[in-house]
Amino acid sequence: MENNRQQKMDKDGMKAYNTRLILSNIIRGQSISKGELARITKLSVVSVSRITDDFIQRGLIELVDSEQQGTLGRPSKDLRLNDQALRAFVIYVERDETYLGVVDSTGRILDCRTLTVHVSDFGVDDFLLFLRDEANRYFMERPDLQVIPIISVIVPGIVDNAGGFVRFSSMLRWQEVPLASKMEKLMPEFRFLVENDIKAVAVAEMYFGDSRAFSDLVVLNVGDGIGAAVIINNEIYRGQNNIAGEIGHIVMNQVGRLCECGQIGCLQTDIAEWAILQEATGIRSDFTIEEVFSSYIDREEWALKLVTKVVTGISLAINLVAMAYSPEVIILYGSLVYKFPILRKLIKDHYRSYINEYAKENFSLRFSRYDHLGHLVGGAIQAIIENF
Ligand SMILES: [Zn+2]
């Protein structure tokens, strides 16, 4: 009896695993044949057909003529997602802004709403009540956007994604928050997933980015905080407690600046947006980050020094992830990178001189196609796959 139940659970687990595997490859391929799916997943064509026929019956995917010629001159068929069928509602919580959006399975953001709200002004429970009210208001106002019953919440910091916990977020000032279970009590019609912000972007890059043909990627975030997300063999590498990639808090300079995590001289105290501003306001108290870079373009002495130091810090971070994970591609992402073309140019021109000689040819450096809403896209895809 016990054995039978175990066997049934194993069989169900395997079926769910294969279903997700097929779905994730259809999402990545955008338009793909059964034969190609079988080749990638190493499942038999019969197993692939069993799963995809079920998808077709449920209206989740459709058959379209392939560009490639089939046997006997008949056009062969490819599988394509029905982009109307699977849509996810996603919440991305940042220090000063929270985003609510609906994303479809092709990675398109159908709608996004920005709430200006300073999270640390609230207690956690009050903030989550606020989130529930805003989400419900959103659903009332957009009844046309039917969504799946799983919601991803994306946050900066260390999260236990399996347990739905936020372990520590220096940016939000949250510690040990059982986010998923709290939200499920407030909105019992949904299941909640919790993911780290950079890892969510890495998922978006893996499915829809220009580097999606590669299987080993690192996304390096340079913005309000510094962090990396690592994809090895087409999967997020999480390490123990999901900490892999949290390089922003590696101490680089023991006599450096105090970090918001409580250590002195973390990597992010040289290159995070807040750290650059802290240094600039030593010159004048009301500098904005835009003025720092325009002063650089105007060749003001202090800005030349400060921006050069930032470029060096980012280059050292690139070398760090190149050596630690040896990816095929390193993708730079984050507010500093997408707001300031001059910074992108400086990094491109100078980073190689900071890379170890034998790692220089190992990877290519690219810039993410996503602005700050890449988080929503990655979170949505995780929820859509988890829905099966
Ligand atoms: Zn730190």
Side-chain angles (χ1 to χ4, degrees), residues 246-253 263 265-268 320:
E246 291 288 339
I247 61 165
H249 298 285
I250 293 178
V251 174
M252 302 289 268
N253 177 5
Q263 298 188 112
C266 291
L267 174 63
Q268 71 162 10
L320 203 153

Side-chain angles (χ1 to χ4, degrees), residues 306-354:
L306 179 52
V307 172
T308 302
K309 188 175 138 187
V310 171
V311 172
T312 304
I314 294 172
S315 302
L316 291 172
I318 294 170
N319 188 47
L320 203 153
V321 293
M323 298 304 286
Y325 302 109
S326 191
E328 298 164 282
V329 184
I330 295 175
I331 301 168
L332 281 188
Y333 174 84
S335 56
L336 282 177
V337 176
Y338 67 73
K339 273 197 291 197
F340 303 110
I342 178 69
L343 182 61
R344 290 200 294 272
K345 183 180 176 335
L346 287 168
I347 295 168
K348 246 191 287 187
D349 290 349
H350 296 289
Y351 82 93
R352 283 176 66 85
S353 54
Y354 295 88

